[in-house]
Amino acid sequence: MAAGHFDRVIFADWSAASSPGPRQPAPDSCWVAWGTVERRPAPRYCRTRAAAEHFIKELAHEAMAAGERCLIGFDFVFGLPWKIGPAGGRPLARLLKARIEDGPDNANNRFAVAAALNADWSPDRPGPFWMCPAAEAGPHLTVKKPGLAGRPHGEYRIVDRRLRAAGKLVQSVWKLGGVGAVGGQSLVGLAAVARLLDDPVLAPRAGVWPFETVWARRLADFTIIEAWPGMVASDGQPYAVKDARQVAALRDHALGLQARGKLRSWLARPVGINRTEERIAMSHEGWIFGA
């Protein structure tokens, strides 16, 4: 079997909500789309992150038991901008797993964790994480965006700047809430990734792209990637909820690339980056699928 071939692909739209989603399928909850060459079910609506995590683990276990290779994408940030925090991928995920408390009803402590990380990384001034409810605000975490000038790290990663320059307005990981925000779901989502990586069934065959896979050179049987829905068009999907359309579009695009023998190119070393940028992306910041 070719190293870049995956029998099953899974894409998840995550949520940082603090309570379960409505009983009827709705936006801003978790959605999971999966498929194979032969089968592409409708995306699964999950009212809680715990339900979504359980469903993903079930799919992955099923794939591993069948001897299949599995690609899974999450729509949150896998690494921080250069010169702050731990390396992206597994180290950052494990740090967050140790700090994030995430209950079966979606109750979580993401704002307290963001404030504590701010205090650890920037003790003399608020930030870099920002945007929280007023009740969660304090000397280290603020509702409004703090000044980031003069800090050793930036607001965006290399891949974020690349996409923004191309008109694709990805958000900064530091923004915890609001339209398009990715910070909150990155905190709770990476903790879930760490649990998948530590799962005894998956752990021996799991790897985080591109940190542990050297782009497409050593793709694992269970490869976990950072994805962004804005990379593919979703208007043609037959689902009422935008989140469902987006994960289905990512799934269908990945399966289509594979059918044409081009999936590996979306996981390969990005065209146009220099050696320094590659080193930073692979050691710390990460990358977005297909960027």
Side-chain angles (χ1 to χ4, degrees):
M1 183 182 294
H5 176 87
F6 291 97
D7 304 282
R8 183 179 304 216
V9 299
I10 305 168
F11 284 92
D13 183 295
W14 220 242
S15 165
S18 296
S19 59
R23 292 188 180 278
Q24 294 300 315
D28 302 322
S29 291
C30 292
W31 288 84
V32 180
W34 72 278
T36 65
V37 172
E38 299 84 12
R39 188 179 176 202
R40 302 185 188 187
R44 170 80 66 94
Y45 170 64
C46 301
R47 297 180 63 201
T48 65
R49 286 180 295 278
E53 186 178 335
H54 178 74
F55 180 53
I56 290 167
K57 190 178 291 186
E58 279 189 333
L59 291 172
H61 282 194
E62 184 181 89
M64 297 296 107
E68 297 176 353
R69 304 184 80 226
C70 187
L71 179 74
I72 176 168
F74 289 95
D75 71 332
F76 47 73
V77 173
F78 276 34
L80 303 172
W82 180 235
K83 295 187 178 180
I84 188 170
R90 197 179 297 254
L92 180 58
R94 284 186 168 165
L95 169 69
L96 291 169
K97 177 188 172 187
R99 297 199 180 195
I100 288 288
E101 298 171 5
D102 200 356
D105 60 352
N106 272 356
N108 67 85
N109 65 338
R110 68 188 186 279
F111 295 117
V113 170
L117 292 174
N118 282 351
D120 290 345
W121 297 338
S122 182
D124 299 328
R125 50 180 167 166
F129 286 112
W130 65 282
M131 189 170 278
C132 63
E136 300 277 359
H140 298 291
L141 182 65
T142 55
V143 177
K144 295 184 177 180
K145 182 178 178 180
L148 296 177
R151 301 182 192 234
H153 63 85
E155 182 172 6
Y156 298 101
R157 302 172 299 163
I158 294 166
V159 66
D160 302 330
R161 295 196 298 271
R162 176 180 172 125
L163 289 175
R164 290 178 69 84
K168 296 181 180 294
L169 301 183
V170 295
Q171 298 282 328
S172 166
V173 67
W174 305 131
K175 182 182 175 185
L176 295 175
V179 177
V182 71
Q185 64 235 46
S186 297
L187 296 178
V188 293
L190 278 173
V193 166
R195 289 188 289 273
L196 289 173
L197 289 168
D198 290 339
D199 178 83
V201 174
L202 305 177
R205 298 169 63 186
V208 185
W209 176 86
F211 307 100
E212 300 169 358
T213 67
V214 194
W215 302 110
R217 289 176 229 163
R218 295 203 295 264
L219 295 171
D221 290 340
F222 181 63
T223 293
I224 305 176
I225 65 173
E226 176 183 341
W228 182 58
M231 290 300 298
V232 300
S234 60
D235 294 345
Q237 293 290 331
Y239 305 109
V241 178
K242 181 180 179 181
D243 310 64
R245 294 196 298 270
Q246 289 179 329
V247 288
L250 282 167
R251 173 202 62 194
D252 292 352
H253 186 74
L255 289 170
L257 287 170
Q258 180 151 276
R260 300 192 301 275
K262 295 184 177 181
L263 179 58
R264 191 180 183 89
S265 68
W266 269 52
L267 297 166
R269 182 185 190 273
V271 174
I273 63 170
N274 60 41
R275 289 186 179 182
T276 298
E277 290 171 329
E278 180 182 23
R279 176 177 59 83
I280 291 171
M282 286 190 57
S283 67
H284 192 86
E285 292 188 347
W287 204 258
I288 293 171
F289 177 57

